[in-house]
Amino acid sequence: MGSHVPARMLRDLDRRDSAAGRTCVLTAVQSERIIPQHRQGGMGGRKDKHRLPNLLWLDSLINSFIEDDAEWAAIAQAYGVKVPIWVKDVTRVPVWFANEGRWFVLEGDGRRQIDAVEALAMMLDVYGDDYLLWKAIADDTDRARALYLRSVR
């Protein structure tokens, strides 16, 4: 199975995220560069790659930054946009929709809004202390980095 997203999945993605239209989930920007992206990809074909909880609208330039730069990758992981290949179930990783200013869990054909406390608990359950580092990088503040450093066991 290649990386081309089937038309049916694109329609389902449009329907799930219809409140925002084709808007970059990370930057909240609409442009001609918005394309469907897999939260968890990996090399080669995977039979479960084209599942709706694994798809988001993302600016293709932002995706290139994420793939090429460790800090961009950390930001994408902090917000649930990219999920490491070793995570067995992407539905356990919530996503921050910047355009809506809310966290969501992507389940089946839909999404369920959650609060920041639940999102943090889910992220820590999946990633442990690694999440705190990614979030500190995403927040880009000395306070966030100090909190991370104090949290490492």
Side-chain angles (χ1 to χ4, degrees):
M1 184 176 258
S3 62
H4 178 73
V5 178
R8 178 182 56 81
M9 294 304 304
L10 294 177
R11 286 190 301 273
D12 290 346
L13 182 57
D14 277 334
R15 189 171 23 261
R16 185 193 71 199
D17 298 341
S18 62
R22 292 189 176 185
T23 302
C24 177
V25 68
L26 196 56
T27 64
V29 170
Q30 291 183 334
S31 82
E32 68 282 352
R33 296 185 313 264
I34 305 304
I35 58 174
Q37 284 295 313
H38 297 95
R39 297 172 66 199
Q40 185 182 62
M43 298 298 288
R46 294 173 44 148
K47 62 183 176 184
D48 65 344
K49 188 174 185 175
H50 300 306
R51 294 179 304 116
L52 198 52
N54 195 38
L55 290 170
L56 295 170
W57 293 115
L58 192 66
D59 184 313
S60 61
L61 288 178
I62 299 298
N63 189 61
S64 295
F65 298 157
I66 292 167
E67 299 298 328
D68 294 338
D69 183 87
E71 284 194 17
W72 274 99
I75 292 166
Q77 288 175 309
Y79 293 116
V81 172
K82 289 294 184 176
V83 179
I85 200 74
W86 55 263
V87 174
K88 292 187 184 342
D89 182 4
V90 296
T91 65
R92 294 182 56 220
V93 178
V95 179
W96 174 256
F97 279 73
N99 58 309
E100 298 180 55
R102 296 183 179 105
W103 286 98
F104 291 90
V105 174
L106 306 181
E107 303 169 312
D109 292 342
R111 59 186 191 161
R112 175 176 54 87
Q113 184 179 334
I114 60 173
D115 62 29
V117 173
E118 186 175 355
L120 176 61
M122 291 178 74
M123 290 295 210
L124 290 173
D125 184 52
V126 173
Y127 298 126
D129 288 344
D130 287 344
Y131 176 71
L132 298 174
L133 174 59
W134 300 334
K135 188 68 169 101
I137 292 168
D139 290 347
D140 194 31
T141 66
D142 293 336
R143 287 185 205 101
R145 291 177 194 264
L147 286 172
Y148 165 71
L149 292 173
R150 291 185 50 90
S151 71
V152 175
R153 298 180 236 300

